[in-house]
Amino acid sequence: MAALFTKFCSQAAIVFLLVLPSLVSKSDAGSIVVYWGQNGGEGTLTETCNTGRYQIVNIGFLSKFGRGQTPEINLAGHCSTKSNGCHRASIGIKNCQRKGIKVLLSIGGGFGSYGLSSENDAKNVANYIWNNFLGGRSNSRPLGDAILDGVDFDIEKGGPHYVTLARMLAAHSTRGRKVYLSAAPQCPFPDQHLNAALSTGLFDYVWVQFYNNPQCEFSSRNPNAFKRYWNRWTSSIRAKIFVGLPASRAVAGSGFVPANDLINEVLPFVKRSPKYGGVMLYDKFNDDKSGYSPKIRGRV
């Protein structure tokens, strides 16, 4: 009996050792995040999530809000909200969520008319977002009846009141349904528009834009600048931090990192941080064209 027990224990130990590497790799694995919505040629949300390449999709952008304006979402070639043409996006949102993929509303962007003129203005925008995209109620929900998982702050201009907006949105989180908050600051630290909001600790994910900012982008000839700024972000902000990159050379003026450089030089460094979250790519259309995410998917 003792011999049988010893044999069983030895076999169990061997099985455990064989399985352990896969468990470790899964626990250390990062996520790939993508922006969707600014090019009709990138396919539907359902098609995007069916690729199996992404764990979070940001719908961009709510590019008009604040300062007394009626908020407006711009989904470029996909649909027009003026004729309720974007209601069908609900089908895609729900399909993604059924696969365990989080879908967030991205507000702001590089273009558009937005900003917050006061705390009261921020509260009004928060109420609008809650009622029209999250768990509230409205007769004018631009994307139909789907409930998005949270809000992404891609803020590149406009006022000091994003702290209030973040707090108002985060206050809607419940045990039953969390409102996720993410942000896409520029890589120079601190970000001039979002530093106060990010310092609250309310954000779950921060995908830092390490592009169009030569002073903090990765370069294989001089990787130290990127490393310094990565360390500043991870040591200062309480959130999962992602490496934000253009999905192709065509989509950004600078900062594109070839897949091999990302795999061999960037990821081994950033993965040392317990705050490492993964890689954000802008955007789905360019990722399709370049085939970037399939090249890095198994290594993120």
Side-chain angles (χ1 to χ4, degrees):
M1 182 68 72
L4 287 173
F5 179 75
T6 301
K7 183 178 180 181
F8 171 79
C9 289
S10 298
Q11 290 174 338
I14 291 170
V15 171
F16 176 76
L17 290 173
L18 290 172
V19 172
L20 180 61
S22 64
L23 293 175
V24 171
S25 64
K26 286 182 181 178
S27 65
D28 288 345
S31 300
I32 297 180
V33 181
V34 75
Y35 279 82
W36 175 94
Q38 287 302 293
N39 194 302
E42 65 196 341
T44 65
L45 276 171
T46 293
E47 291 167 340
T48 295
C49 293
N50 282 349
T51 65
R53 303 196 305 245
Y54 315 112
Q55 286 71 53
I56 301 175
V57 177
N58 295 322
I59 297 178
F61 295 94
L62 186 73
S63 58
K64 182 178 180 181
F65 63 83
R67 298 171 181 161
Q69 304 176 99
T70 299
E72 189 174 308
I73 190 170
N74 177 354
L75 294 183
H78 286 283
C79 56
S80 171
T81 58
K82 293 180 180 178
S83 58
N84 292 328
C86 295
H87 281 188
R88 65 180 181 271
S90 273
I91 298 172
I93 293 167
K94 293 174 184 178
N95 286 339
C96 291
Q97 290 171 331
R98 276 193 286 269
K99 293 177 178 291
I101 298 168
K102 295 181 179 67
V103 185
L104 311 183
L105 171 70
S106 187
I107 66 172
F111 303 97
S113 173
Y114 65 87
L116 301 173
S117 58
S118 66
E119 285 198 13
N120 193 56
D121 193 18
K123 290 175 182 177
N124 289 337
V125 171
N127 288 334
Y128 174 84
I129 292 173
W130 169 251
N131 288 321
N132 286 275
F133 297 99
L134 302 176
R137 294 185 178 183
S138 170
N139 293 325
S140 60
R141 293 176 69 92
L143 303 181
D145 63 355
I147 299 174
L148 294 172
D149 294 291
V151 180
D152 173 59
F153 287 52
D154 184 9
I155 303 302
E156 302 183 26
K157 57 184 175 180
H161 301 289
Y162 291 103
V163 173
T164 302
L165 180 60
R167 284 181 174 147
M168 289 287 293
L169 292 170
H172 286 293
S173 283
T174 65
R175 287 186 178 181
R177 191 169 196 119
K178 177 177 173 60
V179 175
Y180 289 90
L181 296 184
S182 68
Q186 306 294 308
C187 58
F189 188 90
D191 184 85
Q192 68 178 112
H193 302 295
L194 284 174
N195 185 58
L198 291 173
S199 297
T200 62
L202 294 172
F203 286 77
D204 302 283
Y205 314 116
V206 176
W207 14 87
V208 183
Q209 295 186 45
F210 286 101
Y211 54 96
N212 293 333
N213 290 284
Q215 67 268 42
C216 44
E217 296 168 359
F218 175 81
S219 165
S220 57
R221 289 173 295 181
N222 178 26
N224 291 330
F226 166 82
K227 291 180 178 180
R228 280 197 308 272
Y229 278 96
W230 172 263
N231 286 337
R232 291 197 69 182
W233 280 102
T234 55
S235 63
S236 304
I237 301 301
R238 192 167 73 248
K240 284 292 184 181
I241 309 295
F242 290 65
V243 180
L245 296 173
S248 73
R249 294 185 189 278
V251 76
S254 63
F256 176 77
V257 178
N260 284 339
D261 289 349
L262 182 76
I263 291 168
N264 296 320
E265 299 186 58
V266 176
L267 292 178
F269 170 74
V270 297
K271 283 185 174 184
R272 296 175 194 169
S273 170
K275 291 184 180 177
Y276 166 74
V279 174
M280 176 275 281
L281 297 176
Y282 190 90
D283 60 356
K284 169 63 165 50
F285 177 78
N286 283 276
D287 188 36
D288 286 342
K289 294 296 182 184
S290 67
Y292 196 88
S293 65
K295 295 173 187 175
I296 67 170
R297 180 181 167 196
R299 307 298 289 274
V300 172

